[in-house]
Amino acid sequence: MTDTPPAIPAATLVVFRDAGDGPPELLFVERAKAMAFAGGALVFPGGRVDPGDHALAAVLGTGDAESAARIAAVRETIEEAGLPIGLSPMPSPTAFARMRAALHAGTAFGEALTDAAVGLDLDALEYFARWRPAHAHARIFDTRFYLARLPAGAPEAQVDATENVRLFWATAADVLAEADAGRATIIFPTRRNLERLTQFADFAAAVEHARAHPVRTVTPWTETRDGVEHLCIPHDLGYPITSEPISDAVRG
């Protein structure tokens, strides 16, 4: 059995904003070009699962890696995009602004939640995918992807202007078109997940699909097909496109 290099646990959140007359819009952030991983790429809000996320999961009585990843996805979306996903009850605008500022200042997430008198609703996140590349790279992330609906009454999303330089709402198809035209950069896992997300007319359809395809960790592999080396993923996880010439793949 081939050993795979160590990976950094991470979590990311695909936030849906349903549109009545078209496909749902998703929240994207553009990473700063100076970032070591996926610099300049369009991604979903997210980041590393920190020790504090595990500590908070233990306080909540779970303590498992899955709960810690959900907590990280909620925390990172607050920090990066200023959206209160997975909080209950919804904090007032003033309380939420204080919470986000406290997180940016280094306050532990659990303490910030207590100060705002809110708790976590981790069931608001739907487990969608898990990706763990194995290619030689400076940083490899073991990333859980979650889906969530933008709550009614949520504030406008606001970029943190640190790791990310802008954020915007767009359909999955629109971002794929921008990447194909050379106007945007998306890495291989993001492209495959966007292709999968184009299949859904709304958030409910995405959740139904996710529940019909139990998550299995995706570790892409290389394979020669008709003389061309491809980067490949399994065929049975709900992805409509499961390979791409490795010369075209953006790997972070």
Side-chain angles (χ1 to χ4, degrees):
M1 181 175 179
T2 302
D3 291 333
T4 57
I8 301 165
T12 193
L13 189 57
V14 183
V15 184
F16 279 65
R17 185 170 72 177
D18 285 339
D21 56 352
E25 294 180 320
L26 312 174
L27 183 67
F28 295 89
V29 295
E30 180 180 339
R31 288 178 60 78
K33 292 185 183 298
M35 297 302 296
F37 177 78
L42 301 182
V43 298
F44 305 113
R48 298 177 185 230
V49 181
D50 291 338
D53 301 319
H54 287 282
L56 183 52
V59 169
L60 295 176
T62 55
D64 57 274
E66 168 65 18
S67 295
R70 288 172 183 261
I71 291 168
V74 171
R75 175 183 53 75
E76 288 281 353
T77 302
I78 294 171
E79 293 177 359
E80 292 187 354
L83 289 179
I85 310 291
L87 301 183
S88 180
M90 175 81 75
S92 70
T94 300
F96 182 65
R98 283 199 302 262
M99 175 190 292
R100 190 185 190 205
L103 292 176
H104 283 162
T107 300
F109 192 21
E111 182 180 344
L113 289 168
T114 299
D115 291 344
V118 298
L120 289 170
D121 177 14
L122 299 183
D123 290 336
L125 280 60
E126 185 70 32
Y127 197 10
F128 184 66
R130 182 175 179 181
W131 282 66
R132 189 206 186 284
H135 63 279
H137 194 284
R139 292 178 183 172
I140 294 177
F141 290 92
D142 180 356
T143 305
R144 288 172 165 89
F145 288 74
Y146 299 97
L147 312 178
R149 191 197 302 268
L150 180 69
E156 290 292 325
Q158 295 182 340
V159 71
D160 66 0
T162 55
E163 295 182 359
N164 306 307
V165 295
R166 71 179 176 118
L167 56 76
F168 61 95
W169 295 92
T171 68
D174 285 345
V175 170
L176 286 168
E178 287 293 293
D180 290 342
R183 293 188 293 266
T185 299
I186 51 176
I187 62 175
F188 184 80
T190 305
R191 174 173 282 277
R192 299 287 83 86
N193 279 295
L194 285 176
E195 291 160 351
R196 187 177 174 189
L197 290 162
T198 61
Q199 301 175 104
F200 312 130
D202 54 28
F203 178 70
V207 169
E208 181 180 4
H209 174 91
R211 293 176 179 175
H213 295 81
V215 173
R216 199 167 75 241
T217 302
V218 178
T219 299
W221 71 90
T222 57
E223 182 178 313
T224 301
R225 299 180 177 180
D226 298 324
V228 178
E229 192 173 21
H230 280 66
L231 193 60
C232 310
I233 64 173
H235 289 274
D236 59 346
L237 296 179
Y239 291 91
I241 299 175
T242 57
S243 70
E244 181 179 4
I246 201 165
S247 59
D248 296 338
V250 180
R251 302 176 76 176

